């Protein structure tokens, strides 16, 4: 009799325990449905997916190099497209800092190739994540001083105007020095300046070798700083309002920009910033009084283009 009594008690206790387990499990199940929890501890959650490269950049460190356009020659405000670009980036709500502007009046592709060997320039380029480059106009428009002063034969005797539209430092056109530096011409013994005629043939003749040097320049900059983005400012025709130079000038500039685009298409970190359409039929608005460089409005428009490309 006692055995039967203990048997029923044991069965009752087991039933009660089983019921409690079932109730507890049911409670957890309901809680999990109403308030789901992840299986991974908070400390081991994966990092957020990085934003696209351009979107992730919150601070732009800018370095500019190249010719007189990079320097800002012709802009009476002193801003040029470089400072306009930095100001435009800052106005968009990001941090933008100009680390240095290494633009040099009269610089050609050959001259820039030599400059890129300089340790100081290489150091500056490595600090940047945005590199602005303007080069090629002095290669293409050799002897531009003739048209700048009203055409062949109208250049004042004894003047020293650069072969590319910049005030010169006394190098003679046609020599290796003059061709590579593009910084001026030398008065002849009779007091008249020795000059090179700017012809359609001379424009196109300069293209192949200069374009090849441009490709090497872009590759060198990319090797110096593989992480930076490079923005190359395309050429425009400053003589589009001179009838005899309209068509050949446009053809030469278009050929140059196309050659640059072929080079740039091979590197996703290089962007061509077009300027031809900005100045075409608007030279009176955007050229400075030297009829070669942009004025403050022209540089401002170029800066706007660069900011659009960066963003």
């Amino acid at each position: 009799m006692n055995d039967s009594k203990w048997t029923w008690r044991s069965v009752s206790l087991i039933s009660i325990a089983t019921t409690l387990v079932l109730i507890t499990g049911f409670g957890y199940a309901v809680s999990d449905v109403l308030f789901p929890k992840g299986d991974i501890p908070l400390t081991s959650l994966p990092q957020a997916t990085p934003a696209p490269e351009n979107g992730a950049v919150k601070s732009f460190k800018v370095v500019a190099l190249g010719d007189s356009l990079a320097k800002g020659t012709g802009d009476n405000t002193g801003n040029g497209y470089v400072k306009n670009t930095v100001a435009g980036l800052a106005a968009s709500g990001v941090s933008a800092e100009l680390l240095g502007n290494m633009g040099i009046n009269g610089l050609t592709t050959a001259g820039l190739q030599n400059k890129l060997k300089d340790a100081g320039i290489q150091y500056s380029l490595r600090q940047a994540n945005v590199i602005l480059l303007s080069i090629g106009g002095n290669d293409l428009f050799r002897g531009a001083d003739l048209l700048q002063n009203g055409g062949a034969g109208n250049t004042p005797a004894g003047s020293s105007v650069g072969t590319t539209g910049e005030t010169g430092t006394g190098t003679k056109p046609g020599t290796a020095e003059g061709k590579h530096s593009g910084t001026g011409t030398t008065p002849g013994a009779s007091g008249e300046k020795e000059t090179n005629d700017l012809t359609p043939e001379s424009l196109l003749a300069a293209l192949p070798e200069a374009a090849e040097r441009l490709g090497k320049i872009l590759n060198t900059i990319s090797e110096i700083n593989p992480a930076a983005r490079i923005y190359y400012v395309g050429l425009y025709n400053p003589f589009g309002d001179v009838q005899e130079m309209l068509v050949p000038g446009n053809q030469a500039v278009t050929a140059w920009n196309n050659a640059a685009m072929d080079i740039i298409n091979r590197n996703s970190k290089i962007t061509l910033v077009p300027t031809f359409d900005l100045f075409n039929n608007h030279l009176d608005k955007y050229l400075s009084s030297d009829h070669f460089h942009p004025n403050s409005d022209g540089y401002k428009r170029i800066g706007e283009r660069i900011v659009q490309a960066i963003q």
Side-chain angles (χ1 to χ4, degrees):
M1 188 70 178
N2 288 334
D3 291 340
S4 176
K5 182 179 178 180
W6 284 108
T7 299
W8 283 108
R9 286 181 178 178
S10 299
V11 171
S12 298
L13 290 173
I14 292 172
S15 299
I16 292 171
T18 302
T19 301
L20 290 174
V21 170
L22 290 175
I23 291 173
T24 302
F26 180 76
Y28 276 114
V30 171
S31 176
D32 193 49
V33 170
L34 295 178
F35 308 103
K37 297 180 180 179
D39 294 330
I40 304 175
L42 182 62
T43 55
S44 62
L45 286 176
Q47 297 296 316
T49 303
E53 183 177 359
N54 283 347
V57 176
K58 299 301 180 184
S59 177
F60 293 101
K61 298 184 181 298
V62 181
V63 163
L65 74 163
D67 54 23
S68 53
L69 263 71
K71 185 175 181 179
T73 301
D75 187 349
N76 56 13
T77 69
N79 289 329
Y81 72 71
V82 176
K83 289 184 178 179
N84 277 312
T85 297
V86 174
L89 290 172
S92 68
V94 298
S95 172
E97 177 185 2
L98 177 60
L99 301 182
N101 186 339
M102 298 175 283
I104 300 173
N105 281 350
L107 193 66
T108 63
T109 52
L112 182 54
Q113 277 186 301
N114 289 329
K115 292 291 182 183
L116 289 175
K117 299 174 185 177
D118 185 89
I121 289 180
Q122 291 184 12
Y123 175 82
S124 295
L125 292 175
R126 290 192 186 100
Q127 310 312 306
N129 57 10
V130 169
I131 297 172
L132 307 181
L133 172 64
S134 171
I135 198 72
N138 294 320
D139 294 85
L140 211 57
F141 293 108
R142 302 186 309 274
D145 55 306
L146 299 180
L147 289 175
Q148 187 177 318
N149 289 278
N154 293 330
T155 304
S159 64
S160 180
V161 181
T163 60
T164 59
E166 287 129 349
T167 53
T169 57
T171 55
K172 181 179 177 180
T175 65
E177 182 183 2
K179 186 179 294 183
H180 286 183
S181 66
T183 53
T185 57
T186 303
S190 63
E192 293 185 359
K193 184 170 58 120
E194 298 180 18
T195 59
N196 286 338
D197 291 335
L198 184 63
T199 64
E201 291 75 20
S202 70
L203 289 178
L204 295 173
L207 182 62
E209 291 184 2
E212 182 180 355
R213 289 192 292 269
L214 174 63
K216 293 178 180 178
I217 287 168
L218 291 170
N219 288 335
T220 299
I221 295 174
S222 295
E223 290 170 359
I224 293 172
N225 187 343
R229 295 199 65 90
I230 304 168
Y231 295 88
Y232 173 70
V233 178
L235 301 188
Y236 58 87
N237 179 13
F239 306 116
D241 55 354
V242 179
Q243 185 174 359
E244 61 269 26
M245 289 307 301
L246 172 61
V247 173
N250 285 350
Q251 288 175 338
V253 168
T254 300
W256 175 273
N257 289 335
N258 287 340
M261 197 69 235
D262 287 341
I263 298 166
I264 289 169
N265 281 338
R266 303 170 200 158
N267 190 325
S268 62
K269 287 188 174 292
I270 307 177
T271 300
L272 174 67
V273 179
T275 64
F276 181 86
D277 62 310
L278 287 178
F279 289 85
N280 190 35
N281 296 322
H282 298 291
L283 296 179
D284 57 332
K285 290 175 58 178
Y286 295 137
L287 278 190
S288 67
S289 58
D290 68 11
H291 203 278
F292 190 79
H293 300 96
N295 58 20
S296 60
D297 290 333
Y299 279 119
K300 189 178 298 182
R301 292 300 307 277
I302 296 174
E304 291 170 355
R305 280 279 175 91
I306 299 173
V307 170
Q308 290 172 356
I310 294 174
Q311 294 178 334

